Amino acid sequence: MEITRRGFFKASALAFAGSMAYELSGQSKAFAIDTQKTWKLENTEEVTTICCYCACGCGLIGSVRDGELVHVEGDPDHFVSEGGLCPKGAAEFHAEYIVNPETGALEENPARVTTPKVRRPGSAEWEDISWDDAIEEIARHMKDTRDATFKETNDKGETINRTEAIACLGGSSMTIEEEYFIVKLFRELGAVSLDNQARV
Ligand code: SF4
């Protein structure tokens, strides 16, 4: 039988179409097994947050199932990063979980700091402290420092009403609204040294 060029292409197209129809009909075992995989983010709730690692403040979406974080990715709606993340931010999930190198299982990151800590004067050790105690101690130190260093006038008798002993450094994880209130608080205290690490 003579095979023409046109005939050859026609036969090839028919063979390809037949093979695809067979795959898509669900007869193929491999195809059926492949489609049985569950979607990683099934039954999760999305929460938005900000990367904790640097001053850029890139936006993240965390997927949470039953109160547990299961996935982290860039937030395409975030005005800073539009979904992009550097390698550190892309690995943010591992601030919470690490992969056990021996078993390959996900485990809570043992290095994660989950409570405030304090290092007392003269001590080389960090101690855990409750949030209530931490806030109480910080407030007490700030009040004592302000009382001891507040100046109403300078050497020429001019009104200055300030302390140079307290400074404030904001962070990129804070929102504009939080920063607004922090600046107000420190200005009220008389602090003149205010800055933000996100000023890049
Ligand atoms: S993703 Fe990278 S660039 Fe963006 S805030 Fe995190 S560490 Fe900084």
mmCIF file of all heavy atoms in Angstrom, residues 50-60 80-81 84-90 92 172, ligand 1:
data_model
loop_
_atom_site.group_PDB
_atom_site.id
_atom_site.type_symbol
_atom_site.label_atom_id
_atom_site.label_comp_id
_atom_site.label_asym_id
_atom_site.label_seq_id
_atom_site.Cartn_x
_atom_site.Cartn_y
_atom_site.Cartn_z
ATOM 1 N N ILE A 50 2.594 40.053 57.294
ATOM 2 C CA ILE A 50 3.763 40.693 56.690
ATOM 3 C C ILE A 50 5.001 39.888 57.053
ATOM 4 O O ILE A 50 5.129 39.410 58.181
ATOM 5 C CB ILE A 50 3.894 42.145 57.204
ATOM 6 C CG1 ILE A 50 2.689 42.968 56.752
ATOM 7 C CG2 ILE A 50 5.162 42.792 56.705
ATOM 8 C CD1 ILE A 50 2.598 44.316 57.397
ATOM 9 N N CYS A 51 5.913 39.749 56.129
ATOM 10 C CA CYS A 51 7.164 39.014 56.392
ATOM 11 C C CYS A 51 7.924 39.679 57.541
ATOM 12 O O CYS A 51 8.016 40.904 57.611
ATOM 13 C CB CYS A 51 8.020 39.005 55.121
ATOM 14 S SG CYS A 51 9.645 38.261 55.392
ATOM 15 N N CYS A 52 8.458 38.865 58.429
ATOM 16 C CA CYS A 52 9.105 39.398 59.643
ATOM 17 C C CYS A 52 10.603 39.630 59.455
ATOM 18 O O CYS A 52 11.265 40.087 60.373
ATOM 19 C CB CYS A 52 8.891 38.423 60.790
ATOM 20 S SG CYS A 52 9.647 36.803 60.495
ATOM 21 N N TYR A 53 11.164 39.319 58.296
ATOM 22 C CA TYR A 53 12.618 39.258 58.222
ATOM 23 C C TYR A 53 13.345 40.559 57.906
ATOM 24 O O TYR A 53 14.486 40.715 58.285
ATOM 25 C CB TYR A 53 13.042 38.193 57.214
ATOM 26 C CG TYR A 53 12.796 36.786 57.713
ATOM 27 C CD1 TYR A 53 12.147 35.851 56.915
ATOM 28 C CD2 TYR A 53 13.209 36.409 58.970
ATOM 29 C CE1 TYR A 53 11.914 34.572 57.364
ATOM 30 C CE2 TYR A 53 12.983 35.130 59.433
ATOM 31 C CZ TYR A 53 12.343 34.215 58.631
ATOM 32 O OH TYR A 53 12.120 32.956 59.078
ATOM 33 N N CYS A 54 12.741 41.461 57.127
ATOM 34 C CA CYS A 54 13.504 42.684 56.852
ATOM 35 C C CYS A 54 12.583 43.874 56.661
ATOM 36 O O CYS A 54 11.367 43.776 56.758
ATOM 37 C CB CYS A 54 14.446 42.503 55.660
ATOM 38 S SG CYS A 54 13.749 42.965 54.074
ATOM 39 N N ALA A 55 13.205 45.020 56.371
ATOM 40 C CA ALA A 55 12.471 46.276 56.348
ATOM 41 C C ALA A 55 11.539 46.438 55.152
ATOM 42 O O ALA A 55 10.739 47.362 55.115
ATOM 43 C CB ALA A 55 13.471 47.417 56.360
ATOM 44 N N CYS A 56 11.617 45.547 54.162
ATOM 45 C CA CYS A 56 10.760 45.713 52.981
ATOM 46 C C CYS A 56 9.286 45.522 53.324
ATOM 47 O O CYS A 56 8.421 46.162 52.739
ATOM 48 C CB CYS A 56 11.162 44.738 51.889
ATOM 49 S SG CYS A 56 12.789 45.091 51.238
ATOM 50 N N GLY A 57 8.985 44.627 54.254
ATOM 51 C CA GLY A 57 7.600 44.431 54.675
ATOM 52 C C GLY A 57 6.747 43.781 53.604
ATOM 53 O O GLY A 57 5.604 44.201 53.359
ATOM 54 N N CYS A 58 7.251 42.751 52.930
ATOM 55 C CA CYS A 58 6.477 42.083 51.873
ATOM 56 C C CYS A 58 5.250 41.372 52.457
ATOM 57 O O CYS A 58 5.281 40.892 53.593
ATOM 58 C CB CYS A 58 7.360 41.072 51.145
ATOM 59 S SG CYS A 58 8.785 41.834 50.343
ATOM 60 N N GLY A 59 4.198 41.300 51.655
ATOM 61 C CA GLY A 59 2.934 40.728 52.123
ATOM 62 C C GLY A 59 2.876 39.223 51.947
ATOM 63 O O GLY A 59 3.362 38.676 50.951
ATOM 64 N N LEU A 60 2.270 38.545 52.915
ATOM 65 C CA LEU A 60 2.153 37.087 52.886
ATOM 66 C C LEU A 60 0.704 36.664 53.074
ATOM 67 O O LEU A 60 -0.072 37.355 53.729
ATOM 68 C CB LEU A 60 2.943 36.462 54.036
ATOM 69 C CG LEU A 60 4.444 36.703 54.117
ATOM 70 C CD1 LEU A 60 4.963 36.227 55.464
ATOM 71 C CD2 LEU A 60 5.150 35.972 52.990
ATOM 72 N N VAL A 80 3.202 46.413 48.434
ATOM 73 C CA VAL A 80 4.663 46.485 48.440
ATOM 74 C C VAL A 80 5.272 45.468 47.480
ATOM 75 O O VAL A 80 6.127 45.777 46.657
ATOM 76 C CB VAL A 80 5.217 46.249 49.873
ATOM 77 C CG1 VAL A 80 6.730 46.042 49.851
ATOM 78 C CG2 VAL A 80 4.871 47.416 50.774
ATOM 79 N N SER A 81 4.823 44.216 47.596
ATOM 80 C CA SER A 81 5.538 43.132 46.916
ATOM 81 C C SER A 81 4.765 42.471 45.782
ATOM 82 O O SER A 81 5.350 41.721 45.003
ATOM 83 C CB SER A 81 5.903 42.061 47.944
ATOM 84 O OG SER A 81 4.774 41.781 48.755
ATOM 85 N N GLY A 84 5.498 38.850 45.222
ATOM 86 C CA GLY A 84 6.891 38.410 45.165
ATOM 87 C C GLY A 84 7.490 38.244 46.562
ATOM 88 O O GLY A 84 7.098 38.956 47.490
ATOM 89 N N LEU A 85 8.399 37.294 46.710
ATOM 90 C CA LEU A 85 9.123 37.102 47.977
ATOM 91 C C LEU A 85 10.558 36.720 47.652
ATOM 92 O O LEU A 85 10.804 36.008 46.673
ATOM 93 C CB LEU A 85 8.498 35.975 48.807
ATOM 94 C CG LEU A 85 7.083 36.161 49.334
ATOM 95 C CD1 LEU A 85 6.603 34.864 49.976
ATOM 96 C CD2 LEU A 85 7.009 37.295 50.338
ATOM 97 N N CYS A 86 11.501 37.170 48.477
ATOM 98 C CA CYS A 86 12.871 36.728 48.308
ATOM 99 C C CYS A 86 12.987 35.323 48.934
ATOM 100 O O CYS A 86 12.049 34.850 49.571
ATOM 101 C CB CYS A 86 13.839 37.723 48.965
ATOM 102 S SG CYS A 86 13.953 37.550 50.746
ATOM 103 N N PRO A 87 14.140 34.651 48.800
ATOM 104 C CA PRO A 87 14.248 33.287 49.349
ATOM 105 C C PRO A 87 13.955 33.201 50.844
ATOM 106 O O PRO A 87 13.362 32.231 51.316
ATOM 107 C CB PRO A 87 15.698 32.900 49.041
ATOM 108 C CG PRO A 87 16.025 33.690 47.823
ATOM 109 C CD PRO A 87 15.318 34.996 47.988
ATOM 110 N N LYS A 88 14.334 34.255 51.598
ATOM 111 C CA LYS A 88 14.054 34.209 53.046
ATOM 112 C C LYS A 88 12.552 34.225 53.295
ATOM 113 O O LYS A 88 12.024 33.440 54.072
ATOM 114 C CB LYS A 88 14.675 35.433 53.745
ATOM 115 C CG LYS A 88 16.074 35.185 54.224
ATOM 116 C CD LYS A 88 16.498 36.189 55.273
ATOM 117 C CE LYS A 88 16.459 37.612 54.766
ATOM 118 N NZ LYS A 88 16.900 38.578 55.753
ATOM 119 N N GLY A 89 11.875 35.149 52.611
ATOM 120 C CA GLY A 89 10.428 35.253 52.797
ATOM 121 C C GLY A 89 9.711 34.013 52.294
ATOM 122 O O GLY A 89 8.738 33.552 52.891
ATOM 123 N N ALA A 90 10.214 33.449 51.176
ATOM 124 C CA ALA A 90 9.574 32.250 50.616
ATOM 125 C C ALA A 90 9.713 31.061 51.559
ATOM 126 O O ALA A 90 8.941 30.107 51.485
ATOM 127 C CB ALA A 90 10.197 31.934 49.258
ATOM 128 N N GLU A 92 9.439 31.339 54.821
ATOM 129 C CA GLU A 92 8.858 31.821 56.084
ATOM 130 C C GLU A 92 8.114 30.712 56.845
ATOM 131 O O GLU A 92 8.070 30.701 58.068
ATOM 132 C CB GLU A 92 7.886 32.962 55.775
ATOM 133 C CG GLU A 92 7.335 33.651 56.986
ATOM 134 C CD GLU A 92 7.947 35.027 57.203
ATOM 135 O OE1 GLU A 92 8.669 35.510 56.319
ATOM 136 O OE2 GLU A 92 7.705 35.593 58.261
ATOM 137 N N SER A 172 9.142 47.073 60.425
ATOM 138 C CA SER A 172 8.349 46.943 59.200
ATOM 139 C C SER A 172 7.106 46.084 59.389
ATOM 140 O O SER A 172 6.209 46.083 58.554
ATOM 141 C CB SER A 172 9.211 46.320 58.110
ATOM 142 O OG SER A 172 9.652 45.043 58.524
HETATM 143 S S1 SF4 B 1 10.352 38.585 51.598
HETATM 144 FE FE1 SF4 B 1 12.531 39.101 51.691
HETATM 145 S S2 SF4 B 1 12.610 41.230 50.958
HETATM 146 FE FE2 SF4 B 1 10.478 40.809 51.557
HETATM 147 S S3 SF4 B 1 10.332 41.478 53.719
HETATM 148 FE FE3 SF4 B 1 10.812 39.281 53.709
HETATM 149 S S4 SF4 B 1 13.035 39.201 53.870
HETATM 150 FE FE4 SF4 B 1 12.508 41.258 53.235
#
